[in-house]
């Protein structure tokens, strides 16, 4: 999919968050809601900001961390792939994104509000 088309897809997928923007950066793009970057796009893949609790939930549904290699060392930056199932389910995508946005804002959500699809 062309980058602009994928960016538009991401904006629509997360439209329940309000005004969502996508800004190009470092060969990929950042996804913002309320002026806060909560996700990124790299190679037509969406990765969401994650803390330890969200990483655990994402790992349980088969997600993987976004990594890059620099100076021969692979590094993780705290973003994890949005589960494949969420790409076809805006409600599911919104649940994951709300958690990521809360983390990006520094306000982790209460457990009952978290996405827990398994």
């Amino acid at each position: 999919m062309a980058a602009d088309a994928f960016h538009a897809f991401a904006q629509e997928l997360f439209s329940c968050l309000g005004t969502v923007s996508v800004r190009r950066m470092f060969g990929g793009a950042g996804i913002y809601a309320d002026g806060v970057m909560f996700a990124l796009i790299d190679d037509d893949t969406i990765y969401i900001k994650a803390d330890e609790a969200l990483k655990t939930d994402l790992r349980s549904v088969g997600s993987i961390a976004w990594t890059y290699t620099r100076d021969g060392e692979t590094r993780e930056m705290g973003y994890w792939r949005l589960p494949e199932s969420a790409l076809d389910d805006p409600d599911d995508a919104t649940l994951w994104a709300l958690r990521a946005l809360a983390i990006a804002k520094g306000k982790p959500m209460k457990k009952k509000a978290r996405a827990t699809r398994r």
Side-chain angles (χ1 to χ4, degrees), residues 7 11 20-37 39-41:
H7 295 179
Q11 283 181 282
V20 174
S21 62
V22 178
R23 301 180 200 156
R24 292 181 189 278
M25 56 181 264
F26 309 115
I31 305 174
Y32 296 78
D34 298 330
V36 176
M37 185 174 147
L40 61 85
I41 297 171

Side-chain angles (χ1 to χ4, degrees), residues 63-111:
S63 183
I64 58 171
W66 178 74
T67 60
Y68 72 96
T69 302
R70 183 174 182 181
D71 298 328
E73 184 178 326
T74 300
R75 302 171 189 205
E76 181 184 319
M77 293 298 297
Y79 287 85
W80 280 62
R81 186 182 66 210
L82 184 68
E84 293 289 325
S85 61
L87 295 174
D88 295 323
D89 184 346
D91 292 334
D92 193 27
T94 298
L95 291 174
W96 291 109
L98 284 170
R99 289 181 66 186
L101 183 58
I103 291 163
K105 288 181 174 182
K107 302 176 187 175
M109 295 179 70
K110 295 184 192 278
K111 187 170 183 126

